[in-house]
Amino acid sequence: MKNIKLVAVILFGVAVVAFSKGVDDNLLCANIVVTKDHIAVGARGGLQPYIYYRTYGYEPFAVIQKNSYEDPGKIVWALYDKNGSILFDEERFDFITESGDGESGEKPPAFMKKFAEEEGLELKPMSALVQARHESVNIHLNFVDLKDADNLSIILADVTTKEDIKKLLPLTVNTLFEKTELVFVDKLVGVTPKEAYRLLKIPVPSSVDFQRKQCRENVKSIISDIKSMRDIDKSMRDIGNVLNDEGLEDFLMKLKSP
């Protein structure tokens, strides 16, 4: 187990260092990016592997394990105690989870189901919000000496309504970051930014705390990437619609036409 923990720390270090170009060694620039299908935790100009999710039952952010972008993935299950807390392995410093059985993972893992029944525990899908919060806390602990280690930017795409915001509460409770800013990619509808802070139970930070140039540029870059991916997705859907309507041969002939 100790070796696994060491490897995890080394992998984390590589992920951060590999993408840390252009960011001051004394800055953390921690952020969490929430989109319509995944959450990513980042620091020092880079992002951790995406945490993919989908709605399953009462859990709007059920983690799914994917082997590739095209892979529909399997639901990841976790053990919960009677107080609703997810069981945590202190030695591995991670939650006790396992992908489900069956093609889509909608069946709880048989061995975990048996264990839960024997120990009086509950088996439910792992929350992507809780997983992301844990990863951000891990980043904070690893770089606690950096001068902006208490700052966290949460970048929210496809989050526009009060209901969208309220669902994100597990992401902002019990975090070690003293100052958290919300960055909205899209225009809010029926709710103000100030109300959003209240709904997520975090104080509105001073703008001065988040004006470090390199961290600002990093946030802007992430927002630009999100918008670029949206444009690509739209183009791919448009091409798909054309192919469905006209067929591949007709579509290719149009591309060749002057």
Side-chain angles (χ1 to χ4, degrees), residues 130-144:
V130 175
Q131 182 66 46
R133 186 185 70 209
H134 166 65
E135 289 187 11
S136 70
V137 167
N138 198 18
I139 287 176
H140 173 84
L141 293 175
N142 275 279
F143 297 96
V144 70

Side-chain angles (χ1 to χ4, degrees), residues 124-241:
K124 296 191 294 186
M126 178 66 194
S127 166
L129 298 177
V130 175
Q131 182 66 46
R133 186 185 70 209
H134 166 65
E135 289 187 11
S136 70
V137 167
N138 198 18
I139 287 176
H140 173 84
L141 293 175
N142 275 279
F143 297 96
V144 70
D145 293 330
L146 296 184
K147 54 187 177 183
D148 67 332
D150 288 327
N151 293 11
L152 175 68
S153 297
I154 300 181
I155 303 165
L156 302 172
D158 308 296
V159 175
T160 59
T161 68
K162 183 180 290 187
E163 289 305 312
D164 292 339
I165 294 167
K166 287 166 67 175
K167 291 176 183 177
L168 298 173
L169 186 59
L171 187 63
T172 58
V173 296
N174 300 324
T175 177
L176 296 183
F177 293 92
E178 295 180 6
K179 304 165 187 174
T180 300
E181 71 163 348
L182 302 177
V183 181
F184 294 95
V185 176
D186 307 291
K187 185 178 180 180
L188 294 176
V189 179
V191 62
T192 66
K194 188 173 182 180
E195 288 177 294
Y197 280 96
R198 179 180 59 79
L199 291 169
L200 294 178
K201 299 183 179 180
I202 51 179
V204 179
S206 166
S207 58
V208 177
D209 294 327
F210 291 89
Q211 287 308 309
R212 293 184 175 89
K213 184 177 179 181
Q214 290 177 329
C215 295
R216 286 292 87 199
E217 291 301 317
N218 184 40
V219 169
K220 289 179 182 178
S221 177
I222 291 172
I223 293 174
S224 177
D225 289 344
I226 290 171
K227 291 181 176 179
S228 296
M229 287 305 299
R230 285 177 174 175
D231 291 340
I232 293 172
D233 287 344
K234 183 180 183 303
S235 297
M236 293 302 292
R237 286 196 302 272
D238 290 343
I239 292 173
N241 291 335

Side-chain angles (χ1 to χ4, degrees), residues 3-256:
N3 289 335
I4 294 175
K5 182 177 179 181
L6 179 61
V7 169
V9 171
I10 292 173
L11 285 175
F12 173 79
V14 170
V16 171
V17 172
F19 293 95
S20 63
K21 294 180 179 179
V23 175
D24 191 314
D25 288 341
N26 294 315
L27 293 177
L28 181 57
C29 297
N31 55 67
I32 299 176
V33 185
V34 181
T35 75
K36 63 183 178 181
D37 60 6
H38 71 266
I39 302 175
V41 179
R44 313 195 76 186
L47 292 174
Q48 297 269 61
Y50 291 172
I51 305 169
Y52 288 98
Y53 71 86
R54 68 179 177 88
T55 298
Y56 179 72
Y58 294 105
E59 176 52 68
F61 292 91
V63 174
I64 53 175
Q65 180 179 314
K66 295 164 68 79
N67 296 318
S68 67
Y69 180 76
E70 296 79 12
D71 181 8
K74 289 188 172 186
I75 292 174
V76 174
W77 295 80
L79 293 166
Y80 292 73
D81 64 21
K82 293 179 180 178
N83 297 319
S85 298
I86 305 173
L87 264 63
F88 193 81
D89 187 333
E90 295 288 349
E91 191 171 353
R92 292 191 304 115
F93 200 71
D94 204 355
F95 297 106
I96 301 174
T97 62
E98 184 65 44
S99 57
D101 295 336
E103 187 174 342
S104 62
E106 293 190 0
K107 294 181 180 179
F111 74 95
M112 287 185 78
K113 185 177 181 180
K114 181 180 180 182
F115 180 80
E117 291 171 350
E118 292 174 348
E119 300 296 326
L121 301 171
E122 192 172 0
L123 198 54
K124 296 191 294 186
M126 178 66 194
S127 166
L129 298 177
V130 175
Q131 182 66 46
R133 186 185 70 209
H134 166 65
E135 289 187 11
S136 70
V137 167
N138 198 18
I139 287 176
H140 173 84
L141 293 175
N142 275 279
F143 297 96
V144 70
D145 293 330
L146 296 184
K147 54 187 177 183
D148 67 332
D150 288 327
N151 293 11
L152 175 68
S153 297
I154 300 181
I155 303 165
L156 302 172
D158 308 296
V159 175
T160 59
T161 68
K162 183 180 290 187
E163 289 305 312
D164 292 339
I165 294 167
K166 287 166 67 175
K167 291 176 183 177
L168 298 173
L169 186 59
L171 187 63
T172 58
V173 296
N174 300 324
T175 177
L176 296 183
F177 293 92
E178 295 180 6
K179 304 165 187 174
T180 300
E181 71 163 348
L182 302 177
V183 181
F184 294 95
V185 176
D186 307 291
K187 185 178 180 180
L188 294 176
V189 179
V191 62
T192 66
K194 188 173 182 180
E195 288 177 294
Y197 280 96
R198 179 180 59 79
L199 291 169
L200 294 178
K201 299 183 179 180
I202 51 179
V204 179
S206 166
S207 58
V208 177
D209 294 327
F210 291 89
Q211 287 308 309
R212 293 184 175 89
K213 184 177 179 181
Q214 290 177 329
C215 295
R216 286 292 87 199
E217 291 301 317
N218 184 40
V219 169
K220 289 179 182 178
S221 177
I222 291 172
I223 293 174
S224 177
D225 289 344
I226 290 171
K227 291 181 176 179
S228 296
M229 287 305 299
R230 285 177 174 175
D231 291 340
I232 293 172
D233 287 344
K234 183 180 183 303
S235 297
M236 293 302 292
R237 286 196 302 272
D238 290 343
I239 292 173
N241 291 335
V242 171
L243 290 176
N244 288 334
D245 292 340
E246 302 180 12
L248 178 59
E249 185 175 351
D250 291 339
F251 177 71
L252 293 177
M253 289 300 294
K254 280 188 175 182
L255 291 180
K256 291 173 65 178

